[in-house]
Amino acid sequence: MAIILDGKGLAESVRRDLAQRVSRLRAMGVTPGLGTVLVGQDPGSMKYVAGKHRDCEQVGIASIRHELPADATQEEILDVVRALNADDACTGYIVQLPLPRGVDQHAVIDAIDPAKDADGMHPTNLGQLVLHVDGEPRTPLPCTPRGVLVLLRHYGIELDGADVCVLGRGITIGRTMGLMLGRRDVNATVTQCHTGTKDMVDYVRRADVVIAAVGRAGFVTPSMVGDDAVLVDVGVSRVADPDTGRMRVRGDVDPACHSKVRAYSPNPGGVGPMTRAMLLANVVEMAERKAGLSA
């Protein structure tokens, strides 16, 4: 039987630990606060942001919400970013992506105070990740790659010296996942595959761990993976259920792979909950640094 990498259950355990740390901070007069900037009414984004604030309530983090209409200008969005940079009640915040067409999202992300970058995606923080492969990181880490590593370590998946194949090169997951796997405290050997990769199946089949983040439902099939592989499914696609016609989430990994491999993360219920938990962890750690509780 394959090991199921249950991110939902682990995320609940992470939140319980964070709640204790938040209680300690509050006793010192410090209340961590998570800010969100939501532009427009995309259903997926609205649901995701609402979930983040429910998580905040569960662990005792204050919620700071900014919602703008879909026709908000770039300058109006930047005004909100500047306000959050200056808001002492805001420990860290995120700008929910994607932003409406015509808005330069890179300019918006660049305007975030790196010390309040709850997503760990500001160029300054990514630069720190590139430059420092040793020691404990002292800047916010990208939430999804961090969640993947915490999940794998919790289930005893050995990464030191392992061959890890990352499918996808997006900055949110693919490229940052490779950077974190290459840190000396993880010490994996990373192959990054993308649309230009020749003989991709050969790389996938040889890998000890496959991390799929291409956003194509069922992309990884049983014939592509080895019998002893570990599959981490990060992809999110919305497809119509053939029986009901209703849209549902599907990952990059064909469920037929699950009976073949050593371990796999379900989707949903695997990496997604861990991403949300790591966002909270970033906020709590930023508050602890500010309070002098960590290096």
Side-chain angles (χ1 to χ4, degrees):
M1 293 288 291
I3 300 169
I4 300 175
L5 307 177
D6 176 17
K8 186 176 181 181
L10 179 55
E12 181 61 35
S13 175
V14 170
R15 286 193 293 271
R16 285 195 298 269
D17 173 70
L18 291 174
Q20 295 177 353
R21 291 160 64 182
V22 170
S23 293
R24 181 185 180 191
L25 284 164
R26 283 178 172 266
M28 298 172 61
V30 177
T31 300
L34 172 66
T36 58
V37 182
L38 177 63
V39 185
Q41 295 184 315
D42 174 76
S45 293
M46 292 174 69
K47 182 178 179 180
Y48 192 53
V49 168
K52 291 172 182 176
H53 288 291
R54 285 195 300 273
D55 293 343
C56 284
E57 184 177 358
Q58 184 177 349
V59 303
I61 294 173
S63 291
I64 304 165
R65 303 189 189 206
H66 289 271
E67 298 180 359
L68 295 170
D71 60 356
T73 66
Q74 181 164 317
E75 192 59 30
E76 288 171 332
I77 298 170
L78 287 171
D79 283 342
V80 174
V81 167
R82 296 182 192 110
L84 286 168
N85 286 344
D87 185 355
D88 289 337
C90 176
T91 308
Y93 68 95
I94 63 107
V95 177
Q96 182 65 32
L97 302 177
L99 293 171
R101 185 174 299 177
V103 175
D104 182 352
Q105 71 179 35
H106 296 295
V108 173
I109 299 302
D110 287 351
I112 294 173
D113 180 350
K116 292 190 173 188
D117 170 30
D119 262 339
M121 297 302 295
H122 188 278
T124 296
N125 292 329
L126 291 177
Q128 291 293 325
L129 188 58
V130 171
L131 290 171
H132 300 293
V133 297
D134 295 308
E136 193 71 22
R138 292 191 290 178
T139 53
L141 294 172
C143 298
T144 299
R146 182 182 184 184
V148 169
L149 291 182
V150 172
L151 184 62
L152 290 172
R153 283 170 168 163
H154 176 77
Y155 282 94
I157 305 300
E158 182 60 62
L159 293 173
D160 189 347
D163 288 322
V164 182
C165 184
V166 178
L167 303 180
R169 56 181 168 187
I171 189 63
T172 305
I173 302 167
R175 277 184 281 170
T176 45
M177 189 79 253
L179 289 173
M180 292 184 66
L181 286 163
R183 289 183 56 80
R184 206 174 299 277
D185 61 342
V186 181
N187 220 31
T189 298
V190 184
T191 300
Q192 189 152 48
C193 294
H194 46 75
T195 53
T197 303
K198 296 179 180 178
D199 303 319
M200 182 185 296
V201 173
D202 291 340
Y203 292 110
V204 175
R205 192 175 289 126
R206 291 198 302 266
D208 300 308
V209 180
V210 179
I211 301 174
V214 296
R216 291 176 57 185
F219 178 79
V220 179
T221 59
S223 64
M224 296 172 65
V225 298
D227 294 342
D228 201 37
V230 175
L231 301 181
V232 181
D233 191 351
V234 190
V236 176
S237 300
R238 284 177 168 78
V239 299
D241 187 295
D243 297 322
T244 66
R246 301 176 69 176
M247 302 302 289
R248 61 185 181 91
V249 171
R250 279 201 61 193
D252 286 351
V253 176
D254 185 335
C257 296
H258 295 169
S259 61
K260 180 179 182 180
V261 298
R262 176 162 61 103
Y264 68 90
S265 67
N267 193 340
V271 176
M274 293 303 298
T275 297
R276 283 169 47 179
M278 294 303 101
L279 177 71
L280 301 180
N282 276 347
V283 173
V284 172
E285 288 168 1
M286 287 188 281
E288 289 173 338
R289 282 193 286 268
K290 190 174 180 180
L293 294 179
S294 62

